[in-house]
Amino acid sequence: MPEVFKNYIGGQWVEASTGKTFENRNPANWEEVIGIFQKSGKEDVDKAVAAAKSAFNKWRLVPPPERGKILRRVGDLMVARKEELAQLMTREMGKVINETRGDVQEGIDTAYYAEGESRRLFAPAAPSELPNKWAFTARLPLGIAGIICPWNFPMAIPTWKIFPALVSGNTVVFKPASDTPATGHRLVEILEEAGIPKGVVNLVHGGGSSVGIPIVEHPDINVISFTGSSKIGKEIAAKAGESLKRVSLELGGKNAQFVMNDANLDLALEGVLWGAYGTTGQRCTATSRLILHKDIHDKFIEMLLERVKKLRLGNGLDPNSEVGPCVNKSQQQIVDEYVQIGKAEGAQLICGGAIPEDPELAQGWFYKPTVFSGVTRNMRIFKEEIFGPVLSIIKVNSFEDGLETLNDSVYGLSSSLYTQDVNLAFRAVRDFQAGITYINGPTIGAECHFPFGGVKETGNGHREGGWTVYDVFTEWKTVYVDFSGKLQRAQIDNY
Ligand code: NAD
Ligand code: MN
């Protein structure tokens, strides 16, 4: 019998008020059920918010370094369970075991970073314009944070949001993606074991409309941190706008790697293979467009095809597998639809473009690593996020042409330039319209202590990661202390 996973509300493991459940299955072998999860509804969200609200009054008064100590214990527990968590994650969402280990490691790094930040939470002070008066600022929690996560980084993304929310003194209502509820569930168990007080973290399993929307609409939730598609992000921003609720959005991408004619092509090849096919292309930072200078275009494609054809598809728990399945059937179908669109638009399908026929893969949502060449800027496969193992190649005549091509996107998350020319490298740093630019590295590979996020429709101006995410989860208080013993009027008595 598969394990039944409950919600966690006010420090109790409880069933959903709906009495309904859903199954979580392995995308590499759909006959394997990972577990049975609560299919919660608005009533469960209401209970979780009530628990978070009553816990907030105590939690906000706990000194931040004390909160940080709990997160250090969370990090230690994740270190001890890293392999178990990685295996569970591979079983529930498919990416290969090396990558799920990396996903857990990012959570560990984020926990220890959060402990460090708990002794900083720096807030500037500055001199007052009046004598015998001081002025400074402080960061205070907002209240309750609603945390809504996608399935592609089932550990890293929840930790990016939950840990800074907690260090800042907020309480949390967390909804993992319904494709990856088990990893999020284990994270909450670890928080409980590490000593997080009852009600400070609440877990509500379920879908976007039944749990996500009630979180966004709840009047007692003060801030929403959402990672997911731009379409849902826009809906959330519109809803939250009605009550002026703070919203931090990390959304889609259509990231490009640009290879100049002076680049180290072997290095650029390793970069694009990892960037385009890591996590089966299901990363917000995945390399989805490859921009090649005309001088190296044909040669680079030849080098690329030789390697892409050899990529080994398979169950991510098998150490020989290099590319896992798509997360579910509908994602596999979306990928195939985009392949048909690309063909109809006149791009050349030069590799992959089909569901593999290998009987060993027949029980999973696999798709062959795919390459299109001859792509042009008007094509949908150039413009739209596919979120699968599909790479679109476009040829350009010069650095300027490549720059304009790279920037021709509604998205602006990650970007990459391969060149040996330091002048071009710095032009890319300045001129690529993206939140992240890599020089001689692929579009993927963020580090937890730096800001993460994008421009244009990739987000709404907030950043996760590093010190910047603490801006999302804190409210500024400005404090003036006048010890002159008399009324001093700013802008009047000193002029
Ligand atoms: P999604 O937008 O379908 O769902 C994300 C989460 O929102 C899920 O938990 C879902 O249940 C919930 N949800 C769905 N509808 C909702 C609604 N109306 N109100 C509230 N919540 C709702 O995205 P996904 O398929 O899980 O993830 C893939 C997308 O996420 C891609 O577009 C990818 O680029 C993006 N992503 C972005 C980043 C980033 O940091 N920029 C990172 C990872 C993934
Ligand atoms: Mn699953």
Side-chain angles (χ1 to χ4, degrees), residues 22-27 32 34 37 88-94 151 177-182 327-328:
F22 67 95
E23 282 177 350
N24 175 19
R25 287 175 180 260
N26 181 343
E32 182 187 346
I34 313 293
F37 289 82
L88 177 67
M89 195 191 303
T90 292
R91 283 170 54 223
E92 82 167 336
M93 61 74 71
W151 45 263
S178 48
D179 276 308
T180 54
V327 73
N328 54 36

Side-chain angles (χ1 to χ4, degrees), residues 148-153 157 160 175-178 206-209 211-213 216 226-230 232-233 235-236 239 250-253 283-285 331 385 387 413 452-453 458 464:
I148 303 175
C149 295
W151 45 263
N152 62 342
F153 282 85
I157 291 177
W160 281 4
K175 186 193 100 57
S178 48
S209 9
V211 177
I213 291 178
V216 173
F226 170 84
T227 297
S229 58
S230 291
I232 304 292
E235 287 176 27
I236 290 177
K239 273 216 180 75
E250 294 296 341
L251 310 173
R283 290 194 183 207
C284 50
T285 52
Q331 202 68 28
E385 181 176 55
F387 231 56
L413 183 52
F452 181 92
T458 291
E464 311 228 76

